[in-house]
């Protein structure tokens, strides 16, 4: 059962288990390059499963409250400045900009960016509102 596997892998850390499914249906391996500093950091227990473009709606629902900071969040997630500048030019509304930035992140248009996971996203967002991210982390079910 996928849920049991994910819960077990969160308790034990990354292993060489078989690939898991992202919620978007893309087969992929667990992101293993993440730190497992579980002491004093409730966000470190957040799911490390890889996100894909099919997860855009759920990811946007979490991120839309941070829309005014879309560009800074995009830079921290590894999106190229030129991509962010193009999004700003093409979209007038900050929520639309956030949506397009997240789509770029989930599609990994910049191959040098880290693999998208809930863990990476919430750690990035926690720089803006740690308490909100801790609450969101407790509600994520992957």
């Amino acid at each position: 059962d996928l849920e049991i596997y994910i819960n077990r892998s969160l308790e034990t850390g990354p292993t060489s288990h078989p690939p898991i499914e992202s919620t978007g249906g893309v087969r992929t391996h667990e992101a293993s390059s993440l730190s497992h500093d579980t002491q004093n950091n409730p966000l470190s227990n957040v799911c490390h499963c890889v996100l894909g473009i099919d997860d855009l709606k759920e990811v946007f629902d979490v991120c839309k409250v941070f829309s005014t900071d879309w560009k800074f969040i995009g830079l921290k997630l590894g999106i190229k400045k030129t991509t962010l500048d193009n999004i700003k030019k093409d979209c007038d509304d900050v929520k639309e900009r956030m949506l397009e930035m997240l789509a770029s992140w989930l599609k990994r248009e910049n191959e040098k960016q880290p693999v998208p996971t809930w863990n990476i996203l919430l750690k990035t967002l926690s720089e803006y509102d740690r308490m909100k991210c801790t609450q969101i982390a407790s509600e994520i079910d992957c």
Side-chain angles (χ1 to χ4, degrees):
D1 181 60
L2 182 58
E3 186 174 331
I4 292 169
Y5 171 76
I6 291 171
N7 289 337
R8 189 177 324 120
S9 64
L10 287 175
E11 293 169 4
T12 61
T15 62
S16 59
H17 290 293
I20 60 174
E21 297 254 348
S22 80
T23 54
V26 178
R27 279 192 81 70
T28 170
H29 291 281
E30 185 174 304
S32 61
S33 63
L34 302 170
S35 131
H36 291 282
D37 53 335
T38 56
Q39 297 175 339
N40 304 325
N41 187 355
L43 295 178
S44 63
N45 290 325
V46 175
C47 184
H48 292 272
C49 63
V50 177
L51 297 169
I53 192 63
D54 291 339
D55 301 303
L56 180 59
K57 182 190 178 317
E58 188 177 2
V59 170
F60 178 70
D61 286 345
V62 167
C63 294
K64 63 185 169 190
V65 297
F66 300 96
S67 290
T68 56
D69 296 310
W70 72 273
K71 193 168 187 178
F72 299 108
I73 292 168
L75 288 171
K76 290 179 183 271
L77 290 173
I79 298 172
K80 293 179 181 179
K81 184 179 180 316
T82 54
T83 300
L84 297 171
D85 290 341
N86 288 336
I87 290 170
K88 183 177 181 180
K89 182 178 65 171
D90 295 341
C91 305
D92 294 326
D93 180 69
V94 292
K95 286 186 179 177
E96 186 180 3
R97 290 173 181 170
M98 175 64 91
L99 181 69
E100 292 301 319
M101 179 275 293
L102 291 169
S104 176
W105 179 63
L106 292 170
K107 291 188 281 188
R108 290 194 72 209
E109 290 180 352
N110 176 6
E111 65 280 348
K112 294 181 182 180
Q113 78 183 41
V115 174
T117 66
W118 280 117
N119 186 280
I120 289 173
L121 179 63
L122 290 179
K123 283 184 178 182
T124 300
L125 296 176
S126 71
E127 295 179 27
Y128 298 92
D129 189 339
R130 186 170 182 82
M131 289 189 61
K132 177 75 172 164
C133 289
T134 301
Q135 175 191 352
I136 292 168
S138 70
E139 297 170 2
I140 289 178
D141 180 35
C142 54

